[in-house]
Amino acid sequence: MAYLIALDDGHGLGPKPTLGKRTPNISGVGVIYENQFNRAVVNYLDTELKRCGFRTILVAPTDVDTPLSTRIATANRAKADAYISCHYNAGGGAGVETFYHTGSSRGRRLATCIHNQVTKGTPQKNRGLKSGNHLWVIRKTNMPATLIEFGFMDDPGLVEAKRMIDPAFQKECAVETAKGICEYFGVSYSTSSSSASSTSMPSSYPGSLIRKGSRGEYVKMIQRALGGLSVDGIFGPKTQNAVKVFQRKNGLSVDGIVGPLTWNKLFP
Ligand SMILES: [Zn+2]
């Protein structure tokens, strides 16, 4: 049977984003929450891995910040073959670092395969492999596990911080991680036939939350997809209500905000 990969997008967005896990206020952009990046990468990674023949399980599929114990139990119960946790760092440094358990040679190899691909294929600086023995998702999971901090939310100049909402960068992180996972399992990585154009396709998630007060083409697309609304490109109370109804019908958390999960249900 195909290998099963547990995918963990660190932290959460709803009903309130995880406190402290965000960028400083970036001029012209605002605040970016860590989970916006983590969940986007996990969504892309999910697609990449399935195309390469893996099965996946999302251990935190909703907007809420799922407790670590739940994430770990979900992966252990499903007997996943590997556990991949996606994060973005804070503390004022720069670059990507990848964690593994020093008592697990398979965990180290998994982390090494992914880290080498990510540092080769993205513009991020290389901070190296690190012991993750203190990290719950690495210590308490039964399978080889790794946690990747793809960059810093508060790097000097906020260069890496701004990349968090760049769909091309999010996708690149997912592609490189998928290549590393393929290498670890000895599975050949198959390229997406439309990979060159897919990040600019209008149906792919724009990379930041669309909510009350948002305006523009993406809002028009949402209004058209929901139906029964005037397509004016202005996200007002009527659009918000229609989003909530749609979320309730589709088993999503009902916050009236279009994030990646709602977007992907609207534009499958
Ligand atoms: Zn984090």
Side-chain angles (χ1 to χ4, degrees):
M1 218 200 315
Y3 294 113
L4 176 65
I5 313 299
L7 300 177
D8 171 8
D9 60 307
H11 318 292
L13 282 179
K16 282 192 191 133
T18 312
L19 281 174
K21 301 294 184 181
R22 61 184 176 198
T23 65
N25 198 356
I26 303 172
S27 92
V29 177
V31 167
I32 306 166
Y33 293 98
E34 185 186 341
N35 186 253
Q36 283 179 256
F37 171 83
N38 298 342
R39 62 159 62 191
V41 172
V42 159
N43 277 325
Y44 284 127
L45 186 52
D46 187 40
T47 307
E48 291 290 313
L49 290 173
K50 282 177 180 155
R51 197 187 56 244
C52 297
F54 291 93
R55 292 175 300 135
T56 60
I57 178 168
L58 273 57
V59 299
T62 64
D63 279 347
V64 295
D65 190 348
T66 307
L68 295 181
S69 55
T70 306
R71 298 174 193 237
I72 293 161
T74 303
N76 286 346
R77 211 179 307 118
K79 296 189 166 41
D81 296 294
Y83 190 98
I84 312 293
S85 187
C86 296
H87 284 256
Y88 224 73
N89 221 333
V96 53
E97 52 194 37
T98 306
F99 293 86
Y100 66 97
H101 200 285
T102 55
S104 165
S105 57
R106 290 188 302 154
R108 185 188 170 95
R109 205 167 67 76
L110 174 67
T112 306
C113 290
I114 292 171
H115 188 77
N116 289 347
Q117 293 291 348
V118 171
T119 48
K120 226 167 39 187
T122 70
Q124 306 298 81
K125 294 190 182 90
N126 182 355
R127 292 172 67 88
L129 290 158
K130 306 235 159 128
S131 162
N133 296 2
H134 59 294
L135 299 168
W136 268 54
V137 295
I138 285 180
R139 236 172 58 198
K140 304 279 187 187
T141 41
N142 297 337
M143 65 293 303
T146 184
L147 184 150
I148 309 130
E149 299 273 10
F150 285 97
F152 276 74
M153 297 185 280
D154 53 359
D155 65 310
L158 302 176
V159 178
E160 293 187 356
K162 286 180 194 157
R163 285 187 189 132
M164 290 171 75
I165 50 167
D166 175 359
F169 174 69
Q170 295 167 345
K171 187 164 185 201
E172 196 57 58
C173 289
V175 165
E176 301 306 333
T177 302
K179 284 181 187 169
I181 293 168
C182 284
E183 188 188 331
Y184 172 81
F185 283 103
V187 170
S188 61
Y189 174 77
S190 62
T191 321
S192 154
S193 51
S194 60
S195 65
S197 62
S198 60
T199 51
S200 57
M201 267 166 54
S203 62
S204 75
Y205 176 62
S208 54
L209 300 176
I210 302 161
R211 61 206 308 171
K212 204 170 157 195
S214 298
R215 281 165 183 258
E217 274 316 304
Y218 291 125
V219 176
K220 285 188 188 174
M221 286 175 66
I222 291 164
Q223 290 170 329
R224 235 174 260 129
L226 289 168
L229 294 163
S230 55
V231 181
D232 57 4
I234 301 167
F235 199 123
K238 281 183 190 156
T239 303
Q240 188 183 40
N241 277 335
V243 169
K244 285 184 181 172
V245 169
F246 177 83
Q247 288 171 326
R248 200 168 292 124
K249 264 192 213 156
N250 286 278
L252 298 157
S253 51
V254 180
D255 56 7
I257 298 169
V258 179
L261 295 176
T262 301
W263 181 275
N264 289 339
K265 277 268 188 237
L266 278 166
F267 305 101

